[in-house]
Structures are given as structure tokens and as C-alpha cells.
């Protein structure tokens, strides 16, 4: 089965995210903008997917409110000693993620996130401290990321459509 037919039946219930997998994921991959990985069952059904790219959390976000308070809060959360308190943290961004709508609530979403975290720690060669994403600002998505250890970076995006969240990959060494 080719890649296009493999992903064609996937539906996570959110049109934008499903459409990304159907229409854009392969092009993003060939342009080296984002790599997409699939969770499949033995019958080649796609159960879940995620797309990731390299990123960096840095001061370029100043206009979004990345002021001293935000950095101080982040430094405390990361428990970094003073000399290591820079304003540029290597990160991986989860651009899109979805679980098939028939499997939501089954626990597979937690397995998916555990897999992403473990795999980045084991297989990602350049150093990477944070997993970051723009979470849809809805109870289901926020609760899912909170339960998976993600924290809000900002307070100023409380009413925005999406909220920046981060996970400290150093938690996996604790
Ligand atoms: C977000 C997503 C991956 C979560 O997977 P899921 O299988 O639905 O996750 P769960 O059903 O285990 O729900 C996660 C938590 O949210 C809670 N939840 C589910 N629906 C909820 C709702 N409507 N309101 C509030 N909380 C909700 C669950 O109770 C669960 O909390 P728990 O751990 O205390 O039980 C999945 O819903 C999905 O693919 N959604 C469409 C695409 C999407 O939103 N991607 C993320 C973009 S940021």
C-alpha cells in the first residue's frame, strides 16, 4: 500500500488536523519542514500520527510577551543553575498530532506521547531540552497535554485560539 492510501482513511475529528495529514504531510516531509510518523495496527490502519520539526524557544517571541517574568518562571521550572540560564533553548516542536476518532478515550493518546518523549531522548542526536507545541485552547486538548506533563509558557495567551505549552525533557531523567 502506498503512503497516500495508507493515510486516506484517517480521521481525528478535527478537519484542519485531518486535512494536514491527508493533503500536506508528505509535501512538508519532502521539503524537510516537518516529519510525520504514523502509529499503525497490523492491518495497516492508521491509529494516530504526529509531525515534528526542530525548533528553538528564544527571545524572538518578545512581542508575544516573552518578558523577564516569563524567562524567570521558565528558568525556575527547568531548575537551571544561573550560568545555564540563557534565553535560547533547543526544542522540538510537535506541529500536528491526532488520534483516530474511534480510538479517542482509549489511552492510545497517552502511549503516543510517551513514545514521542522516549524516542526523542533515545534517538535524537543534537541536544534538545524542550518539547513545545501550540495547543488548541479547548478543555479536551489542554487537559490531555496537562496530564502528559506539559505546562503553559505564557499567561497572555489565555484567551487566544492556541496556547504555547512546553514539556521539559529533563523530567525523563528524574
Ligand atoms: C487531543 C487528542 C490527541 C487526545 O486524545 P484522546 O484519546 O481524545 O484523549 P483522552 O480521551 O484520553 O482525553 C484526554 C483527557 O481529556 C479529557 N477530556 C476528553 N474530552 C474532554 C472534553 N470534552 N472536555 C474536557 N476534558 C476532556 C479526558 O477525560 C482525559 O482526561 P483524563 O486523563 O483525566 O481521563 C485527541 O482527542 C485528538 O486527536 N483530537 C483531535 C486532534 C487534536 O485536537 N489534536 C491536538 C491539537 S493541539
Amino acid at each position: 500500500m502506498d503512503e497516500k492510501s495508507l493515510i486516506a482513511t484517517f480521521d481525528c475529528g478535527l478537519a484542519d488536523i485531518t486535512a494536514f495529514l491527508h493533503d500536506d504531510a508528505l509535501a512538508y516531509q519532502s521539503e524537510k519542514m516537518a516529519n510525520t510518523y504514523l502509529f499503525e495496527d497490523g492491518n495497516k490502519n492508521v491509529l494516530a500520527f504526529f509531525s515534528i520539526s526542530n525548533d528553538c524557544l528564544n527571545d524572538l517571541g518578545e512581542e508575544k510577551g516573552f518578558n523577564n517574568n516569563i524567562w524567570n518562571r521558565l528558568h525556575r521550572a527547568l531548575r537551571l543553575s544561573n550560568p545555564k540560564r540563557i534565553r535560547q533553548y533547543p526544542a522540538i516542536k510537535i506541529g500536528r498530532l491526532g488520534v483516530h476518532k474511534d480510538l479517542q478515550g482509549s489511552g492510545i493518546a497517552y502511549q503516543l506521547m510517551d513514545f514521542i518523549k522516549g524516542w526523542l531522548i533515545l534517538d535524537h542526536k543534537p541536544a534538545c531540552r524542550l518539547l513545545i507545541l501550540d495547543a488548541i485552547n479547548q478543555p479536551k486538548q489542554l487537559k490531555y497535554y496537562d496530564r502528559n506533563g506539559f505546562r503553559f509558557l505564557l499567561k497572555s495567551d489565555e484567551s487566544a485560539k492556541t496556547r504555547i505549552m512546553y514539556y521539559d525533557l529533563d523530567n525523563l531523567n528524574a
Side-chain angles (χ1 to χ4, degrees), residues 12 14 17 97-99 103-106 109-110 134-136 139-141 143-145 147:
C12 72
L14 277 190
I17 293 180
L97 172 152
V99 166
L103 290 167
Q104 290 176 13
S106 70
Y110 290 92
D134 297 321
I136 295 175
K140 182 176 184 173
Q141 282 78 6
K143 190 167 180 193
Y144 168 64
Y145 291 122
R147 279 294 169 98

